[in-house]
Amino acid sequence: MNQKRKIFQRLYSAFIFTALFSITLLTNGQDGKALFNQKCASCHAIDKQLVGPALKGVEDRWDDKKMLYEWVRNSAAVIKKGYPRAVAVYAEYNKVQMSLFPELKDQDIDAILGYINTGGAKAAATSAAPTAGDTGAGSQEESDSNLLYGVLTLVLALIAMILLQVNSNLRKISDESEGVKSAEPIPFYRNKAYIAIITIILFMGGGYLTFQGAQGLGRSKNYQPEQPIYYSHTVHAGINQVNCLYCHGGAQESKHANIPSVNVCMNCHMGINEYVKGPQLFREDGSKVDGTAEIQKLYQYSGWDPAAKKYTSKPKAIEWVRIHNLPDHVYFNHAQHVTAGKQQCQTCHGEIQKMGEVYQYSDLSMGWCINCHRESKVQFTENKFYSIYEKFHEDLKNKKIDSVTVEKIGGTECQKCHY
């Protein structure tokens, strides 16, 4: 019987080791995804060009992986060394340097690359041909993954408890065969240790879910209301290359980006009264959109008669449904970011040029903004707005520093956004 006990203990130890190893692998996979979303997703996609290049196959484009590590941690230093790939990327993207991530270790970068090559590649393939209703695909995939990890954890915990119970029964049988008197095993549902462990797990799980739910209160990520007129940014900003600032001029000059008035739309649609050459448009429920009928709605709001080619009735404002809305105690200035900060619209709004009806791409939380300020580098050169920061200009000139983040010029101070 002692031999059986030793065999069982070895099998049990092997099972525990395997379970812990599997959980470690899952955790590393999650870390790669979390690091990608935290460090990379604001400028890069897996299979699409955003502010920076697509990251699919990035390892194949660098013949020296050590240089790739250095590039991620300090792109400016690699460019100064004259490494060909670094210089080519720097030139291709208008000499805008990548954010510095000196805190990332080799294993952190490997985790990100692993996510790009495995889970990230699958996610990119899934979203390569979006259909109506796909705006929440990323969050749905993440939710499904979390559910899978939770189920696996519960199954492993249940198996471990069963094995512990089996071990207890085998010990009792062994003791009885050797004439050793042992106490009757306590049933699982009456074992205080098991009850305490389950209670603690439920308490911690409930607390985590409660915290996550409370943290998300008031956020509207992926919010996508139906608008009175179907306005496709894919057609206007994407296919026809209409500059964002033509319609949202306030983004360059004032606090608010502003919604264009009806007459701005009519500047073009006095002459464009049919939608005949663009791709078929779809709503989020999969129903087709008649582009010409949507233009007719615009005419009804503006009072324009396309047959008579003149305004025949009093215009009225289009009641667009607001999507992006910060709390009243938060100050955000579009001109500060677009004109002074030289930020692209896609930094906060995602690939707006590929959206049908617009949805909120970022959660716009305080943590999201602070992380951006910590990582985003200020473009000091040829930018008169930052001419007052003489010390930083001198340090850059003397190569004491190679970049200045928004955080260094007070971008994380409370009174910058709250006053």
Side-chain angles (χ1 to χ4, degrees):
M1 187 58 68
N2 287 332
Q3 186 67 23
K4 290 183 178 179
R5 178 183 293 179
K6 290 179 180 179
I7 293 174
F8 174 79
Q9 288 176 343
R10 288 176 182 175
L11 290 173
Y12 179 70
S13 299
F15 169 78
I16 294 298
F17 174 79
T18 303
L20 291 174
F21 182 71
S22 300
I23 292 173
T24 301
L25 290 178
L26 290 174
T27 303
N28 286 338
Q30 285 181 295
D31 287 344
K33 182 174 183 179
L35 285 169
F36 176 85
N37 290 332
Q38 181 183 4
K39 306 292 185 181
C40 312
S42 61
C43 297
H44 297 277
I46 302 296
D47 62 342
K48 302 174 185 177
Q49 178 179 323
L50 297 182
V51 178
L55 295 183
K56 185 176 181 180
V58 65
E59 290 181 85
D60 299 332
R61 299 194 291 269
W62 289 72
D63 53 17
D64 187 343
K65 197 168 185 179
K66 290 184 179 180
M67 294 301 293
L68 177 57
Y69 290 150
E70 289 188 37
W71 169 264
V72 174
R73 283 191 281 263
N74 190 339
S75 60
V78 180
I79 294 170
K80 289 178 182 178
K81 291 180 180 179
Y83 186 71
R85 176 60 190 168
V87 174
V89 173
Y90 181 60
E92 181 180 354
Y93 289 87
N94 300 319
K95 296 187 177 181
V96 176
Q97 291 184 355
M98 192 177 87
S99 300
L100 307 183
F101 301 104
E103 72 279 4
L104 291 180
K105 301 177 182 177
D106 289 355
Q107 54 265 37
D108 296 328
I109 300 173
D110 285 335
I112 295 173
L113 294 173
Y115 168 70
I116 292 170
N117 295 331
T118 55
K122 293 179 182 178
T126 302
S127 60
T131 58
D134 276 351
T135 55
S139 59
Q140 181 64 40
E141 179 188 348
E142 184 176 353
S143 176
D144 292 343
S145 299
N146 290 337
L147 178 62
L148 176 61
Y149 297 142
V151 170
L152 287 174
T153 302
L154 289 175
V155 169
L156 290 173
L158 180 61
I159 293 174
M161 290 181 180
I162 292 173
L163 290 175
L164 286 172
Q165 194 69 27
V166 171
N167 184 44
S168 177
N169 290 332
L170 289 176
R171 186 182 294 110
K172 179 176 180 296
I173 295 172
S174 175
D175 291 341
E176 288 178 350
S177 66
E178 295 175 359
V180 178
K181 188 176 181 180
S182 60
E184 189 71 22
I186 301 174
F188 173 82
Y189 58 88
R190 292 176 56 191
N191 190 309
K192 293 182 179 179
Y194 291 163
I195 294 174
I197 291 172
I198 293 173
T199 302
I200 291 172
I201 292 174
L202 291 175
F203 179 79
M204 293 178 64
Y208 173 78
L209 293 175
T210 301
F211 175 78
Q212 290 294 318
Q215 192 178 41
L217 290 175
R219 298 184 190 174
S220 302
K221 186 175 181 178
N222 295 322
Y223 173 55
Q224 187 180 38
E226 185 174 341
Q227 301 290 354
I229 297 177
Y230 186 91
Y231 180 91
S232 172
H233 277 74
T234 301
V235 172
H236 292 79
I239 297 173
N240 293 309
Q241 297 289 300
V242 177
N243 191 297
C244 298
L245 297 176
Y246 178 77
C247 299
H248 305 286
Q252 189 176 16
E253 301 172 351
S254 66
K255 175 182 176 182
H256 298 288
N258 298 334
I259 300 297
S261 59
V262 178
N263 70 297
V264 173
C265 303
M266 290 303 298
N267 287 340
C268 297
H269 283 286
M270 279 185 182
I272 304 173
N273 54 24
E274 290 183 312
Y275 180 77
V276 291
K277 295 183 179 180
Q280 177 62 59
L281 304 176
F282 294 91
R283 298 189 185 277
E284 294 307 305
D285 59 4
S287 60
K288 292 183 179 180
V289 177
D290 185 342
T292 301
E294 298 303 311
I295 295 175
Q296 295 301 317
K297 290 181 183 178
L298 173 63
Y299 291 160
Q300 293 174 11
Y301 279 101
S302 65
W304 174 259
D305 186 342
K309 297 188 179 301
K310 63 179 181 179
Y311 292 101
T312 57
S313 61
K314 185 177 180 180
K316 57 181 179 179
I318 303 173
E319 297 180 353
W320 301 106
V321 180
R322 183 166 184 170
I323 300 174
H324 305 88
N325 191 20
L326 294 176
D328 292 342
H329 63 275
V330 176
Y331 175 83
F332 178 87
N333 190 309
H334 271 85
Q336 179 75 18
H337 291 76
V338 175
T339 303
K342 307 295 183 184
Q343 292 298 312
Q344 299 296 319
C345 303
Q346 289 85 349
T347 302
C348 300
H349 296 289
E351 292 186 279
I352 198 79
Q353 75 278 10
K354 296 183 180 180
M355 294 183 189
E357 283 192 310
V358 174
Y359 65 94
Q360 183 171 316
Y361 171 78
S362 307
D363 64 11
L364 304 181
S365 64
M366 178 175 172
W368 183 84
C369 295
I370 288 177
N371 284 336
C372 185
H373 283 192
R374 286 172 175 166
E375 298 167 3
S376 298
K377 294 184 293 185
V378 178
Q379 295 188 30
F380 267 55
T381 57
E382 299 180 3
N383 192 340
K384 295 181 180 180
F385 184 84
Y386 296 111
S387 60
I388 61 174
Y389 295 96
E390 295 182 3
K391 181 181 182 302
F392 287 126
H393 281 288
E394 286 297 321
D395 289 344
L396 287 170
K397 183 178 180 181
N398 297 328
K399 297 183 179 180
K400 292 182 179 179
I401 57 175
D402 55 18
S403 64
V404 179
T405 62
V406 182
E407 181 180 25
K408 290 182 179 179
I409 59 173
T412 57
E413 295 176 2
C414 300
Q415 63 271 23
K416 286 286 185 179
C417 304
H418 307 287
Y419 57 90

